Amino acid sequence: MSTFRGRFAPSPTGRMHLGNLRSALLGWLQARAANGRFLLRIEDLDRARCKPQYVDDLMQDLRWLGLDWDETPLIQSQRDDLYREALATLEQQGLVYPCFCTRAEIARAASAPHGLSEEGPRYPGTCAHLTSAQLSERAKTRAPAIRFRARPGEVHFIDALMGPYAQDVDAVVGDFVVRRNDGVASYQLAVVADDAATGITHVLRGDDLLSSTPRQLQLYDALAKRAPDFLHVPLVHGEDGKRLAKREGAFALAELRERGVAPERVLGLLAAWSGLGDGTPRTLDELLRAFSIEALPRSPVVAREAVLIEAVGLR
Ligand code: GLU
């Protein structure tokens, strides 16, 4: 029996597009090729941006493509006890502190950051060394967020596709948010607590999260949990050079489903974006036989509208 456990962890903030589904497909192929288990986790901590309708939609998308999952899907908004426990473990070691700053970055912390450029400047440590008098004074006016004290020095890891990666979290990001001031766990904390609690051995996701991995490795370390292997795939970009976003209707799978496009045509296109085919229709079984990490592209794939239209048979 294989011990491989992979997962797909979408945020239900919109209809999934073909770029999201390519990550789901690759995660599924990696897990199934290893005879492993594949879990689904709904990352809905950012209540303002997530909608239950999108959870139903994304499950339908996955089923329609034949991407099944094992075990009951986890819903992050129902797992706050786990995140509080993780936070308490960090607190006991003095690795976190309350932060009263009002930066936009705190509000955004419940969502995964799509690359460092979206994250704003390094946190300068404004609240890192408040005296207890200052702490009680500030606590009178507002509830604090909680930050993890980034450890200095480079964090190194070897990505299964991209190779060696290093980042000095303290120098680049600074102390980072693990809980927002409304009590919601941050993406960085929740993803680690959940992957550790569910015994995930392999994380495959878009390379917009590559720069989050060193933070997550610091949390694994602090929580004394074993980190999974990571594989970050270059994203699918539109012809404008920007990564596909959920608002882009043309690439929403639900749209293609409604138009009566066959799943094999979509799989054929996703396979072509993954070095596994020429764009002609494919079945999941064929892709499972063809799957190899070496075949995956190491630079962003461009989704050309003309190719999409041809591949999925739209006119
Ligand atoms: N929920 C995150 C996103 O949709 C992905 C989290 C992860 O795979 O670590 O961007």
Side-chain angles (χ1 to χ4, degrees):
M1 191 28 208
S2 164
T3 52
F4 185 112
R5 289 171 70 83
R7 48 67 160 185
F8 179 53
S11 303
T13 56
R15 297 191 304 175
M16 287 212 290
H17 57 65
L18 296 179
N20 306 131
L21 286 152
R22 172 174 170 266
S23 299
L25 170 67
L26 292 175
W28 185 92
L29 287 172
Q30 191 197 24
R32 297 308 187 211
N35 264 321
R37 295 177 82 78
F38 186 63
L39 275 55
L40 177 63
R41 182 172 70 234
I42 306 299
E43 301 213 323
D44 60 347
L45 289 178
D46 192 347
R47 304 301 284 181
R49 294 179 59 221
C50 297
K51 292 204 172 68
Q53 178 58 45
Y54 295 135
V55 178
D56 295 343
D57 288 352
L58 75 87
M59 287 186 178
Q60 268 193 52
D61 283 346
L62 294 172
R63 285 198 188 100
W64 185 83
L65 283 176
L67 305 178
D68 59 347
W69 56 87
D70 304 303
E71 305 173 16
T72 309
L74 294 182
I75 316 281
Q76 283 195 324
S77 59
Q78 300 170 2
R79 293 171 63 76
D80 198 47
D81 288 352
L82 180 76
Y83 311 142
R84 281 182 191 278
E85 213 177 285
L87 200 62
T89 307
L90 301 178
E91 248 154 26
Q92 280 150 20
Q93 303 171 78
L95 296 174
V96 292
Y97 62 85
C99 166
F100 297 90
C101 297
T102 55
R103 293 160 58 110
E105 161 229 354
I106 294 180
R108 281 196 307 260
S111 300
H114 299 296
L116 278 177
S117 57
E118 275 191 12
E119 295 200 63
R122 173 185 183 272
Y123 180 64
T126 319
C127 296
H129 303 286
L130 297 180
T131 62
S132 46
Q134 286 170 321
L135 275 176
S136 42
E137 195 48 41
R138 301 220 175 146
K140 282 184 200 150
T141 51
R142 52 181 302 154
I146 308 284
R147 283 187 192 266
F148 178 79
R149 290 186 197 278
R151 320 277 180 86
E154 282 194 332
V155 177
H156 294 262
F157 75 99
I158 299 182
D159 186 87
L161 181 65
M162 310 299 261
Y165 185 80
Q167 185 194 75
D168 184 331
V169 178
D170 180 42
V172 177
V173 191
D175 299 341
F176 55 91
V177 178
V178 283
R179 202 183 76 178
R180 290 200 316 200
N181 40 10
D182 60 358
V184 174
S186 77
Y187 157 72
Q188 305 292 356
L189 181 71
V191 79
V192 169
D194 274 330
D195 282 337
T198 51
I200 298 299
T201 59
H202 290 75
V203 167
L204 183 152
R205 60 190 178 191
D207 71 354
D208 51 338
L209 290 167
L210 186 59
S211 57
S212 283
T213 302
R215 265 170 279 180
Q216 294 170 18
L217 289 170
Q218 289 204 337
L219 290 176
Y220 276 105
D221 213 32
L223 295 168
K225 302 285 185 194
R226 196 195 147 104
D229 287 349
F230 289 95
L231 189 162
H232 292 88
V233 272
L235 294 183
V236 180
H237 288 208
E239 282 168 277
D240 58 2
K242 296 197 191 125
R243 63 191 179 82
L244 291 188
K246 289 196 173 113
R247 62 183 175 275
E248 272 153 305
F251 297 102
L253 182 65
E255 184 120 332
L256 300 177
R257 282 200 274 122
E258 280 151 25
R259 289 183 184 218
V261 172
E264 290 74 22
R265 288 202 139 180
V266 176
L267 288 173
L269 180 69
L270 299 180
W273 287 347
S274 310
L276 302 175
D278 58 6
T280 54
R282 289 285 188 279
T283 64
L284 264 186
D285 275 350
E286 285 166 339
L287 292 182
L288 204 45
R289 283 194 294 275
F291 178 73
S292 92
I293 291 175
E294 289 70 45
L296 297 176
R298 287 172 172 72
S299 47
V301 170
V302 179
R304 295 191 198 289
E305 204 133 345
V307 174
L308 169 84
I309 290 167
E310 195 188 306
V312 299
L314 297 179
R315 223 147 293 154

